[in-house]
Amino acid sequence: MLRIAIQKSGRLSDDSLKLIRECGISFISSSLKLKTESTNFPLEILFLRDDDIPGYVADGVADIGIVGQNVLVEEGMKHLSVEELGFSRCRLSLAIPKGENYTSLEDLNGKNIATSYPNLLESYLSERGIKAHIHTISGSVEIAPSIGLADAICDIVSSGSTLISNGLKEVERVFKSQAVLIANQDLSAEKKEILEKLLFRIHAVQRAQRAKYILLNAPNDKVAEISQLLPGVKSPTILPLAEEGWSSLHSVVNEDDFWEIIEKLKAAGAQGILVVPIEKMII
Ligand code: ATP
Ligand code: ZN
């Protein structure tokens, strides 16, 4: 049995549960329970505050966990990281009142900066030779300048709308973050084996998220040219259409290359192009 710690309620919770479910792991969850066990995979799920997750994993209370890199690095536990998960993307940024002038980081020398991430901020500033007074506060950091507590803040930003609504502007990006899977460093052989199985499933889910299944029709004399554009996992599947002289090609394309490929396919004579999502992908 492997024990995973995930955030009980917050910005990591839904996507963490979704990832576990997409790995085909079933469980009954209730918002009141602190712990649940999967019905079809040797996994127990603990629901905790995100800040407690790295410590519990380091101590072996939980074997693995899902947490933001911002919290992991702030707590000095970067070495526990096993896999980037691609969700809860955000950044830690410095922001100042929008009416203030800003030319460079030098402007923050000697200023008061409020943050919940004193270690990340301290190392960012000291690497750049800036000395500021860091005030550690645990929440509502964005109101600190308006109540006279600080000249600037260093806080999590995703769209930037919270900053704008508090009359602030982003001036520097300090740290880029996403959710990561972390693991205790002394897992037993049995637990390591379960973790490998879980990682295998996570990779299949991640691969599928980036890949699309593509189907198209092409005149037979264009099939060779179009096949070159569709590398697929091995090579495209080619099936004859009922209509003489035409074929159907099936393949897999990466989402990143998608629009570029579609343009080229159309130019090469492809018709009736269908693009469908893939649920899992094992290669
Ligand atoms: P807890 O009650 O568990 O301590 P919290 O209030 O500290 O929760 P959340 O606001 O739920 O934490 O954020 C959890 C993590 O989600 C953050 O550490 C960060 O990695 C990420 N995150 C925070 N804000 C955003 C955002 N706006 N967009 C995407 N991810 C975010
Ligand atoms: Zn927290």
Side-chain angles (χ1 to χ4, degrees), residues 229 261-271 273:
L229 297 169
I261 290 181
I262 298 288
E263 295 286 316
K264 289 185 183 157
L265 291 173
K266 281 178 67 184
Q271 294 182 8
I273 304 171

Side-chain angles (χ1 to χ4, degrees), residues 56-76:
Y56 279 148
V57 170
D59 295 346
V61 175
D63 302 308
I64 61 173
I66 296 177
V67 71
Q69 286 166 323
N70 50 320
V71 167
L72 194 66
V73 175
E74 177 64 25
E75 296 183 10

